[in-house]
Amino acid sequence: MHSGPREKCGVVGVALDDRAAARPLYYALYALQHRGQESAGIVTHDGFQQHDHVGMGLVGDAFDEADLDGLNGSVGIGHVRYPTAGSVDTSCAQPFSVSFKSGSLGLSHNGNLVNTADVRDALAAQGHAFTSDGDTEVIAHDLARNLLDGDLVRAVRRTMDRIHGSYALTIMHDDTVVGVRDPEGNRPLCIGELPDGYVIASESAAIDTLDGELVRDVRPGELVVLEADGSGYETYQLVERDRTAHCFFEHVYFARPDSVIDGSLVYETRRDLGRALWEESGVDTDVVMPVPDSGRAFATGYAEASQDSGADVEFAEGLMKNRYVGRTFIMPTQDARERAVRLKLNPIRSTVEGRTVTLIDDSIVRGTTSNQLVDLLRDAGAEEVHLRIGAPPITAPCYMGIDMATREELIAAGEDVADVESTVGADSLAYLSVDAVAAALTESRADLCLGCVTGEYPYDIDGETTDRDVRRPGVDTAPADD
Ligand code: 5GP
Ligand code: MG
């Protein structure tokens, strides 16, 4: 069994006119692969019954031709799951699927509830048995229960009244596919139009892959119901809040640069963040080089802004990435993580040797990457190595679905920038300010989730402080009638 926290994942749902949904879902999951590499799954419905297949590993490993051929029906949902240390079996892979008295249910979840235990206890007291300790199963059971005496829209609203936290969901109830985004809009979710149907996905890059058009983001607190024949969709604003809590880290690191999230193209946001880095803490080195691939857009913006200011810092590729090494974050031990950085990145001597260098990465979490890369560049002959980071210092954990480690593991928790600078051994280190992040995202600070950099969360979390007037719903009573 896995524990709920730290799931950042990718979700998708499609409803098509005539075509089998399995392959479009498979392609969409490929487009969302960066959001999760531990497991992948698809659930479809053929009008009579539900079909599912879930496999471990990358999308390409999780399915073969026969698996896809067995997923009948022109509607379905899919999921890619982010690896969390310790969970290596399919028991917690998604979509989660159940059959119950009033039909079948499949559920894909990106995000993390912060009142899972409360809801699970309440449901257990009503006779529900759980096979995992994850939050997705809790949502599925609560929804199944609400579907017993309500229509889908009412059931989803009741469940939303009970769960607290972040969730972007694609759900299949019999042959109806819906998308739901939590009331604060913490995780991304968008709607796309296909030549023969509609799609709901975590990121618009998945819509592009299917030759579709991005229609718009799903609004915070909104339910989108796709017509089973792919002819259209209906939307219901089920919960309304006066503030959002969009995750800034989606824009800084997690999402693909070619995706549009909450109206902004991620690549352009990162470039603006790079420009802001120059404006806040630019240093006139010979070259600026990105940590590939996540630092590239930042370094581009940084070089451009330096040129606008007359300093003319040259953009250079100074590190070559071995694209066959997985994300270093998934390594269970510090030793393995350090080894992985060396496996993954190697300096290009000619661009580094005898030069002063600004190295740009999107973020520092444990400090493993920066520490090693500063050494690596010095070994390759860099005269100076200045580190610039496209996010503020990460000083607190994420409870909303990004794997951000504990305070003890975070290099910037309880340390000031000078301490981190000497730990990683850079000639200078500067992070971006929170205000610059908000400006680049063209959102007010008040509408962002900045928990991991401020330590104040937009949700009511045990042992943490909140930055707003939020209360967990009471879950020990039967859901209120509507
Ligand atoms: P660190 O090495 O400081 O622990 O992690 C920072 C590096 O990991 C940066 O290069 C950043 O691009 C990347 N990173 C930041 N957040 C995440 C994450 O949630 N998952 C993964 N796989 N990498 C991350
Ligand atoms: Mg990186």
Side-chain angles (χ1 to χ4, degrees), residues 416-438:
D416 55 32
V417 175
D419 294 330
V420 180
E421 179 182 290
S422 69
T423 306
V424 302
D427 288 285
S428 76
L429 164 66
Y431 292 88
L432 204 55
S433 70
V434 172
D435 286 333
V437 169

Side-chain angles (χ1 to χ4, degrees), residues 253 291-295 321 344 361-363 369:
Y253 170 74
V291 178
D293 297 305
S294 53
K321 181 172 174 174
K344 192 155 140 182
D361 204 356
D362 59 281
S363 58
T369 308

